[in-house]
Amino acid sequence: MVYCHHKTDLEGELFTMIIDTHVHYDDQAFDDDRDELLRSLKAHNIGAVIDCGDRYDGLARILEMTEEYSFLYGAVGVHPSSTGELDEQKLSGMREMCSHPGVVAVGEIGLDYHGEDADRTTQKEWFNRQFEMAGCAGLPVIIHSRDAAADTMEIVRNRIADVPGGVMHCYSYSAEQAAEYVSMGLMIGVGGVVTFRNARRLKETVRLVPLSSILLETDCPYLSPEPFRGHRNSSLNLPYIVQAIADIRNISGEEVIAATQENAERLFHINIQAE
């Protein structure tokens, strides 16, 4: 699973690199080897990664990492399961963070109704507030949605016109709903789940939505693809996701990489330069 550099830039150099649009390298799972792992990515054809916010207390670390690693970008946001910690002061802090030069999105934000203790009212309030923050900052959104299809769709329909696009991260709903999200200008994030045997709905989504609407992601350290399911994930596993998408669509891995690179660069306004 080795893919060649084949995209031509304006100066005639050939380059195509994988962009991992959803990582959590700030997570403690990487404390022992974070720097070594991150500095190895380029040698494995990983050109850029986007580290997404989870908890408010972790956002400052993400901004620091964007300054330390030129290929690492940040997304400012609080995961729906952690929105109970938010208040007006923290929202003000996030708004300031959105102007940091390394920040390219607001996320991951959304709804997660998995589990009986999910506070749906609080989650919806802060999904709307963070969506509004993205609109004010002129940033795309990275949306997490689990067991909350109807409420997510309603909020996105009401808010999407206010932001310059976004992505449905770790997409898990029907191909029909995916088509509606795509019609609203959103992209579909595809990660390790696409390699699972029981991922029928995701495979159907990957087959039916335009390649111009697909992004690659790992959600590392979570959701490792086969054959590493259950182990710590990293961007180094992206070729398995690429191959699964290529097989489903009956195209080459190089085509998947080239298209998803262009998609990510277009949505997040980043540009991987050949060296």
Side-chain angles (χ1 to χ4, degrees):
M1 236 178 286
V2 178
Y3 301 113
C4 301
H5 297 258
H6 73 283
K7 180 180 176 183
T8 305
D9 70 3
L10 294 177
E11 298 177 354
E13 297 180 61
L14 300 178
F15 71 105
T16 300
M17 301 192 81
I18 302 173
I19 298 179
D20 191 343
T21 62
H22 199 114
V23 303
H24 297 284
Y25 283 123
D26 56 298
D27 191 277
Q28 62 182 6
F30 297 104
D31 284 352
D32 291 339
D33 62 347
R34 180 180 293 107
D35 185 69
E36 179 183 2
L37 175 58
L38 285 172
R39 296 193 186 282
S40 75
L41 295 183
K42 184 179 178 182
H44 291 86
N45 206 38
I46 313 299
V49 300
I50 299 175
D51 202 295
C52 299
D54 183 1
R55 298 167 296 101
Y56 180 82
D57 290 344
L59 296 178
R61 175 59 181 142
I62 292 175
L63 299 191
E64 291 174 358
M65 291 171 64
T66 68
E67 297 169 1
E68 186 173 358
Y69 304 98
S70 62
F71 55 87
L72 187 148
Y73 300 88
V76 171
V78 171
H79 186 283
S81 297
S82 299
T83 50
E85 70 184 32
L86 289 176
D87 54 32
E88 295 300 325
Q89 183 176 0
K90 290 177 179 176
L91 180 63
S92 178
M94 287 196 292
R95 286 173 176 155
E96 291 183 13
M97 293 179 196
C98 285
S99 64
H100 187 283
V103 171
V104 296
V106 166
E108 63 184 285
I109 65 174
L111 303 174
D112 192 322
Y113 293 169
H114 187 73
E116 297 180 358
D117 58 344
D119 185 341
R120 300 187 180 195
T121 300
T122 297
Q123 287 191 21
K124 286 190 284 187
E125 175 187 355
W126 287 105
F127 188 19
N128 276 292
R129 298 292 299 277
Q130 292 184 91
F131 224 123
E132 181 182 21
M133 178 179 76
C136 292
L139 292 173
V141 288
I142 298 173
I143 299 173
H144 171 108
S145 182
R146 185 181 187 191
D147 297 342
D151 284 349
T152 301
M153 181 66 77
E154 180 182 4
I155 291 173
V156 171
R157 282 174 181 156
N158 291 334
R159 294 282 184 181
I160 192 61
D162 299 329
V163 300
V167 55
M168 295 300 298
H169 155 62
C170 193
Y171 188 76
S172 61
Y173 301 133
S174 69
E176 291 76 18
Q177 289 185 63
E180 184 167 355
Y181 282 123
V182 168
S183 73
M184 290 188 281
L186 286 163
M187 294 190 182
I188 304 299
V190 180
V193 174
V194 76
T195 69
F196 299 173
R197 289 183 180 179
N198 62 348
R200 180 184 57 81
R201 289 198 299 181
L202 179 56
K203 292 176 190 290
E204 182 71 358
T205 296
V206 168
R207 185 177 71 84
L208 292 175
V209 302
L211 187 58
S212 59
S213 296
I214 292 177
L215 294 176
L216 299 176
E217 58 178 35
T218 57
D219 200 21
C220 63
Y222 314 107
L223 296 176
S224 289
E226 297 288 0
F228 305 111
R229 191 172 181 179
H231 298 276
R232 188 189 75 170
N233 199 7
S234 82
S235 302
L236 300 181
N237 290 331
L238 280 163
Y240 294 93
I241 300 168
V242 169
Q243 191 61 54
I245 296 172
D247 290 344
I248 291 168
R249 298 186 66 95
N250 196 28
I251 59 177
S252 70
E254 287 85 352
E255 289 177 87
V256 174
I257 294 174
T260 54
Q261 176 186 337
E262 291 175 3
N263 298 344
E265 289 178 333
R266 183 172 71 254
L267 177 62
F268 297 112
H269 296 287
I270 59 179
N271 186 22
I272 300 176
Q273 299 293 332
E275 296 185 3

